Amino acid sequence: MFWKYNSLTVSHLDTLLDKQGVTLQEILEQEDIIQECKSQNKKLVDYLTKQEILSELLDLILQEPSPDLEEKLRFKLPNIASEVITCDVPQINEKLSSDTTLLDKMYAFLEGSPPLNPLLTSFFSKAFGVLITRRPEQVIEYIKVKEGFTGLLLTHIATSAVMDLLLRLITCVEGTENKQNILTWLNDERLIQRVLALLAPPEVPPGDGGGGEGESAVTAPEPVVGEQHDNAGQLLVEIIRVSRDAQITATPTERFHNPLLATAESPDMVHLLLGYMLDGPAIESTIVNGVEVLLSLLEIRRPAPQGGGFYPYTTEQDSTPNQADIDRQQGVLQTTVECLIPRLPQLTALLINPPYKPPVRTTCGVLNVPLGRSRLSLAKLFAALLSTNHPPLNSALAQANTTTVLLDLFFEYSLNNFLHAQVESCVHSIVFWKEKTDLDVTQENVTSPDPNSSSLQTPKITEAETADSDGTKHPLEEKIMDNPALIHLLTNARLLDRLISTWTNTNLPPIVSYMGHVTRISNDLVMACGSDTVPLCQSRTLLLQLFAKLPEETQTSWGAVTTGRLADTNKMNEVKPSTDDKRTLSSDDEDSDFRDIQFPQDSALQQMFSDYQMQEMSDNFIDSFGFHDDEFTESDENVSRGMRKLNSVNFLMQTDDSTKQAIFDSVCEQRIKAFRSSPTPGDSEDDPWADKTAEISFGGPGARTSGEGAVRGEGDGEAVDSSDEEESEPAPDKMEVDNDQDPWDTVAAPVGPVAMDTSSPWGQAVQAQAAPVGETGWADFGAF
C-alpha cells in the first residue's frame, strides 16, 4: 500500500537541474544536496563534474568570503561545498586529480602568507586528503613536480590542519608500492630534519637542520611560536608511533624498510633535538615538545594480545608481531639513552633554573615560582629513563645529583600530585634496580616445560641445590650489587631523614597532599628490605648495609615509623574482601518476627489486616487468585473457560423443590452442550464432571453425589452411565445453540416436565420416550 501510492517525497534537485540557467548557489542551498550527492544522483554528478562548476566549488573553499555578509552566513556555502567535494564520489575525485588546472588552484592556496584562515585551511586539508587517499598515483606525481610543496606545508605548520594533511600524506596512502614511494620521497626532502628545525628557539638559527639546499630559515611571528612547536612536536611523535605500529602489524609481504622512521630514530636526530633544547635559551615550548619526542623514542610499541591494541587489526597468523622489529626498537631505546647520559647535568640544571614563569595566585596563596610544564616534563623524562635499567645511567644520575633535586621539588610543591607521581616512580626504579645482565641471563635460562611430563610431578632437588640451601648466608654477607643511585638517594639526598620528618610531624598544614606517595615510597623501602618479597630485591643487601651504617637514632625512628604510623596507615588503606558473615537478606526475615509487634487497642482493624497479611497462602489460593489468561481470549473452542466458570458457582440448594432442581439440570445441560461438539458414534468422550461433581450437593432428600458423574434414569430407577446412554441413542435432529441471555432470568418455573429441543441436524429421527415424572425430584429426560 505504501509503494502503491508512491508517497515518498521526490527530490527537488532533479527539477531544478532541468531548469535553464540554474546557478551553483541555488543547488547548494537545497537541503538534500549532500544526501543526493552521496547517493550519486546522475544528474547532479554530471552537473558537478563540469570544469567550471568544480572550479567554482574550489573557489568557495579556498577564497575568503566577503566581509559584508552576515557572520553566521559567511561560511555556509563554503562548508557545503567542502562536504560535496569530500563525499567520495569517484567521478569528482577522478576529475580533480586528473585536471592540472584544478590542482594548481588548490596548490596556490598554500602560497598565501601565514597565518592562513583556520577554517578554510581545514576545508583544503580535507579535500586534498581525500585525493591522496583515493588517487595516490596522480597526486604523488603532481606534488613531486612541485619542488616547494614540502616547504610550503612546513611554513604553515602552525595551523593544525596542515599538520593533519602531512600526517595523512604519510599514513593514509594505500598500496605497498605507493607507501614506499611517498616515504622515500619525503625522506629525500629531509622532512624529519626540517620539522626538527621548527622546534628551535626563535633567537637561534636552525643551522644544519634548517631546511634544504637553497632554502632560508622560516622565521615565525612570536605569537605563533608556541603553536608551531606544539604541532611540529606532535607531528614527529605521530610519525614515530604510527610507523612503528604499521611495521609491527604488517604481514610479511607488506613489510618494507621505512626510511623516514629510520631517520627519525637515528642518533643524529637525537643529538640535533637535544641541541635545540639545551644549547640555546630555555624556551618552555621547545623543552616540552622535545621531551615528548624523546619519550616516543624510549617507548617500545607492542600490540595487545588477540589483535586488540593501538589499531584494530586482524588476528590472522600473518599479522603476528615481528620480534625482529621489537628488538630493533630495543636497540633504538639504548641508543637514545646513551645520547641522553652526557646531557644529564644540563637537564638537571633546567630543574633548578627553568624558563621564567610569572607568579600564580592560588587559593593557598601566591606561588612565586610555579613548577611549570618544563620541569614536569623533565620529571617524566627521568622516570622513563630509570625504567629502562640501562647500567651506565645509574652512576650518571648519582653524579648529576638528579635525585636530590627531584626530592627537593617533591616536598616544595606539596600540592602538585603530577610531580609527586613521577618522583615516586623514580624512587621505585632506583630501589628495585635490576641489572641488565641478570635480566638477560634469566631470560636465556628459562626453558619451556616438557609437554610429555605431568605438571603435577614433584620437581627433583639436586645435591648442589641442597648444599646451597643449607649454606644460606646472612644478607650482609651476600654479593652487593652496584647501585650508586641508591647510595646517593640514602646519603646525599637524605631520603630516610625526609620520610621520618614527614611521618613524625603531626601538625602538617592542609596544603600537603603528598602523604599517599610518601606512604608508597616507605612501603617500597620496607618491601625491599624484607626477605619474603617475591622476587627478592636485588639491592636488598646494599640497602641493609646502608641502613646499618645510619645513626642509631635514625634507625630507631625509622623502626618506630614502620611499626607505628605506617602500619596503621596500611591497615586503614587495606581493602578487605567482602564476606557473607554480616550480610542480612530481606528474604531471611520470617513472619514470626513481626507477630510480637504491639498494636494500640483502638486499632483492631489494623491488627486484623496484619493477621491477614501474615497468613500463609495455600496452593488452592494461589491457583484461584486473579484471572487466567485464557479468560481474555475470544475463542469459542475453549472448553475449559466454561467449565471453570461453572465450577466457581455455588449451587447449594436449601430446598427440595423439584422445580428448582429441574431448572438447574436444564441449565447444566445447556451449558455443557454449548462448549462441546457432539461426539461421533463409536467415540468415547471424557466426562467433564468426573472430578467436579464431588463438590456439588443438594439439600433435598433425593440429592446424590457421584464421583463418576452418573445420571439417574426416570422410569426404571437404575443408574445408567452417561457415556453409554449417549452411545446408544441416535444423534439429535437439531444442533443446540447457546444464547447470551442469563437462563436464571429468562427461564420460568415450568408446570410440567422440562424438555429440550434436541432434533438432529443430520435428519435422523429421535426415539421419543415418555415416562412420568418420578417422586425423586429429578427432571424428565424421556421426551428428548
Side-chain angles (χ1 to χ4, degrees), residues 222-524:
E222 188 66 27
V224 190
V225 171
E227 296 180 0
Q228 173 180 301
H229 289 173
D230 293 341
N231 291 337
Q234 184 66 25
L235 178 61
L236 288 173
V237 170
E238 291 298 327
I239 288 175
I240 294 172
R241 289 179 176 174
V242 173
S243 300
R244 286 181 172 181
D245 297 346
Q247 287 196 350
I248 292 176
T249 59
T251 60
T253 57
E254 295 176 350
R255 292 178 184 139
F256 61 90
H257 175 69
N258 189 337
L260 202 64
L261 178 61
T263 304
E265 294 176 340
S266 63
D268 294 338
M269 295 301 102
V270 177
H271 287 298
L272 186 63
L273 176 60
L274 290 174
Y276 292 142
M277 292 172 55
L278 304 175
D279 293 341
I283 303 298
E284 185 177 72
S285 57
T286 301
I287 296 172
V288 171
N289 291 285
V291 168
E292 291 296 329
V293 177
L294 293 174
L295 290 176
S296 64
L297 293 174
L298 294 174
E299 181 184 13
I300 302 296
R301 301 291 287 178
R302 300 176 186 271
Q306 284 136 17
F310 19 76
Y311 288 110
Y313 42 82
T314 61
T315 59
E316 297 178 358
Q317 203 62 274
D318 293 339
S319 63
T320 54
N322 188 359
Q323 186 61 37
D325 190 77
I326 295 178
D327 295 340
R328 184 191 59 80
Q329 294 184 43
Q330 188 67 34
V332 172
L333 183 146
Q334 295 181 6
T335 305
T336 305
V337 175
E338 291 290 343
C339 296
L340 282 167
I341 287 176
R343 296 283 191 166
L344 286 180
Q346 292 177 281
L347 294 173
T348 306
L350 279 178
L351 292 175
I352 302 173
N353 299 314
Y356 172 75
K357 299 285 291 184
V360 176
R361 183 179 298 276
T362 65
T363 56
C364 299
V366 178
L367 201 59
N368 294 323
V369 183
L371 179 69
R373 294 173 57 201
S374 300
R375 292 198 278 191
L376 181 60
S377 61
L378 289 174
K380 292 181 181 179
L381 179 60
F382 286 123
L385 285 173
L386 285 168
S387 64
T388 61
N389 291 309
H390 194 58
L393 178 65
N394 194 301
S395 58
L397 283 173
Q399 296 175 3
N401 198 26
T402 306
T403 54
T404 303
V405 178
L406 288 174
L407 287 178
D408 291 340
L409 296 176
F410 180 92
F411 289 99
E412 179 181 356
Y413 296 95
S414 58
L415 286 174
N416 199 318
N417 286 145
F418 299 104
L419 174 66
H420 301 158
Q422 300 303 325
V423 176
E424 187 251 320
S425 176
C426 293
V427 174
H428 178 85
S429 299
I430 293 174
V431 172
F432 293 94
W433 183 267
K434 298 177 182 178
E435 290 185 351
K436 206 68 175 179
T437 55
D438 294 343
L439 292 177
D440 297 339
V441 170
T442 303
Q443 292 178 359
E444 292 175 0
N445 292 338
V446 173
T447 56
S448 58
D450 187 5
N452 298 326
S453 63
S454 174
S455 60
L456 299 178
Q457 184 178 0
T458 304
K460 298 181 180 180
I461 302 177
T462 60
E463 296 180 358
E465 294 177 354
T466 306
D468 293 342
S469 61
D470 294 340
T472 303
K473 298 181 180 180
H474 190 273
L476 298 181
E477 298 178 0
E478 294 178 359
K479 180 183 177 181
I480 302 176
M481 187 187 70
D482 188 18
N483 192 346
L486 180 60
I487 299 174
H488 178 82
L489 190 64
L490 293 178
T491 55
N492 296 350
R494 300 183 302 107
L495 174 63
L496 213 58
D497 294 336
R498 296 174 192 256
L499 295 178
I500 293 173
S501 176
T502 304
W503 282 111
T504 55
N505 187 4
T506 58
N507 297 323
L508 289 175
I511 61 174
V512 171
S513 61
Y514 49 65
M515 287 307 298
H517 298 282
V518 168
T519 303
R520 292 171 63 94
I521 294 174
S522 302
N523 287 330
D524 288 341

Side-chain angles (χ1 to χ4, degrees), residues 40 45 189 354 363 377 406 491 572 587 589 716 771:
Q40 300 185 16
V45 171
E189 288 284 310
T363 56
S377 61
L406 288 174
T491 55
M572 183 170 41
S587 58
D589 299 335
D716 52 5

Side-chain angles (χ1 to χ4, degrees), residues 355 430 578 733 761:
I430 293 174
S578 59
D733 296 337

Side-chain angles (χ1 to χ4, degrees), residues 92-104:
I92 296 178
N93 295 338
E94 180 64 29
K95 185 69 175 178
L96 285 174
S97 59
S98 59
D99 195 329
T100 309
T101 305
L102 298 177
L103 290 176
D104 290 340

